[in-house]
Amino acid sequence: MIDRYARPQMKKVWSEENKNDKWLQVEIAVCEAWTDTGIIPVEDMEKLRQAQYNPDKIKEIFERTRHDMTAFLQSVTYGLGEEGRWLHMGLTSHDVQDTAQNLQLVEASDIIIDDVDKLISAIKTLALEYRDTPIMGRTHGVHAEPTTFGLKMALWWEEMKRHRERLYSAKDTIAVGKISGAVGTYASVPPEIEVNVCKQFDLKPAPISNQVIQRDRHAQFVTTLALVAASLEKFATEIRSLQRTEVREVEEPFGQGQTGSSAMPHKKNPELSERVCGLARLIRGYAMTSLENVALWHERDISHSSAERLILPDACMALDYILNIFTGVIEGLRVYPERMWRNIEMTKGLVFSQRLLIALLETGLSRERSYEIVQSCAMRSWEESADFREIIREIDEVRERLPGDQLENIFDYGHFSKHVGDSYSRLGLEG
């Protein structure tokens, strides 16, 4: 991931240094387990605990071996004496690499879950503040019936809470280690070593493995990230739509001195939301690659390896980045209730068409006739830009069936928000 879209904490998780640190920690943990069984002498273990790798030496050796694990191991043993022979005993590369990589994924999960918690909190603030603020609900991009801006935010809040549970599940699925030898039979390293090592890292031993930890686990992790990103894209798309000049019900924060266009000084573009949408598409692509990585030949191949070097770090960094960006958008969102109300009234009462239809049905009028009356009046309102309520008041058949206040009560906007409190109670959404 380029630096522009990577935040320091997540970059550190996926740094070469952290990867090598994790490899060494796993190697030492295995030696500790062998020591517990009496295979490695205690005095040798004391020296092994001081082992270090040399990044420059790794690069130098890799140019000759073309194998990153052997280059790493030779770099470590270069600074050791005879005790160095115990490193990697009974192991295959992916015992170390997969266990270490999952430790990185657990670290990344914790950062992303914290990001999600911050976004959930920011959305909740808006949901509570604008609980009863009317806004036009739209279907197919066309005015439907009023809702409230708070309900829109409550919907997002609940969705992000579901994602938090998915992330915990994905973290649990990926928090496994594998120390089972060349094809997972434990022929060269007994199961108790694996149990010991995993306990040291607060991982669960993979119940069964071949030469690798099975990639359905990684696919679940990356597809979960893609799901979170998909929701962020949905939210960001809504903000982009509501910020259009013709609508202008909300706006992204726009800082002092910020410019929206090199050519047009008046521009205030939803560029943060657009950035969220763009990177969400990238993460979805990584999800597809993670699914394709599940199918490996026999006990393993390394067709997944090159792809994972890109998709795992980049998916984590991209999601961490857009979660942070979008939380900032929500925290600084400019909301224009008066514009929302103006847009509700733009169609001059057409939003009451369903209420009127139901009221006529309840008087005993047939559905066909009720619909014919309401639709003809609605089409006239559209075509003449006339007030729907005034047109309806002119219809004798309607006035006869809905006399006096019965008709006027139909045109009460409060009807559309009367159950907002029920929805909030159901969600447990309280201040």
Side-chain angles (χ1 to χ4, degrees), residues 29 62 257 281 351:
F62 180 79
R281 297 167 190 168
V351 297

Side-chain angles (χ1 to χ4, degrees), residues 319-347:
L319 185 59
D320 172 51
Y321 177 79
I322 62 175
L323 278 165
N324 179 257
I325 287 289
F326 194 71
T327 299
V329 169
I330 292 296
E331 289 175 341
L333 193 68
R334 299 178 181 182
V335 180
Y336 301 120
E338 71 286 351
R339 184 76 183 195
M340 294 174 181
W341 182 252
R342 189 187 310 173
N343 288 339
I344 289 173
E345 269 292 290
M346 181 186 297
T347 56

Side-chain angles (χ1 to χ4, degrees), residues 68-93:
D68 50 6
M69 182 54 67
T70 57
F72 173 78
L73 289 169
Q74 287 182 34
S75 165
V76 177
T77 57
Y78 183 79
L80 295 172
E82 290 187 4
E83 69 279 2
R85 71 188 188 277
W86 300 115
L87 285 173
H88 210 68
M89 186 171 72
L91 306 185
T92 189
S93 297

Side-chain angles (χ1 to χ4, degrees), residues 37-56:
T37 66
I39 299 297
I40 297 179
V42 172
E43 56 272 20
D44 282 359
M45 190 64 240
E46 290 175 353
K47 296 176 182 177
L48 287 168
R49 293 188 187 109
Q50 308 306 313
Q52 295 181 337
Y53 62 86
N54 184 316
D56 293 331

Side-chain angles (χ1 to χ4, degrees), residues 14 39 65 114 170 188 221 249 290 340 376-377 380 388 392:
W14 294 105
I39 299 297
T65 64
D114 184 61
S188 58
F221 182 86
E249 293 174 349
S290 75
M340 294 174 181
S376 65
C377 292
R380 181 182 162 193
F388 175 74
I392 288 295

Side-chain angles (χ1 to χ4, degrees), residues 197-266:
V197 170
C198 288
K199 185 176 181 180
Q200 292 181 56
F201 294 113
D202 198 25
L203 299 175
K204 301 181 298 291
I208 187 170
S209 59
N210 44 34
Q211 197 169 86
V212 296
I213 291 174
Q214 300 307 287
R215 260 45 196 178
D216 65 287
R217 295 178 181 271
H218 302 73
Q220 179 183 344
F221 182 86
V222 180
T223 53
T224 299
L225 302 192
L227 272 172
V228 178
S231 289
L232 294 181
E233 182 178 12
K234 180 178 85 171
F235 305 158
T237 298
E238 181 72 0
I239 288 174
R240 290 167 61 192
S241 178
L242 296 180
Q243 188 167 330
R244 286 177 298 143
T245 306
E246 296 82 358
V247 180
R248 200 166 175 264
E249 293 174 349
V250 303
E251 284 182 341
E252 282 187 1
F254 194 83
Q256 184 70 31
Q258 184 177 343
T259 58
S261 167
S262 62
M264 296 170 284
H266 72 278

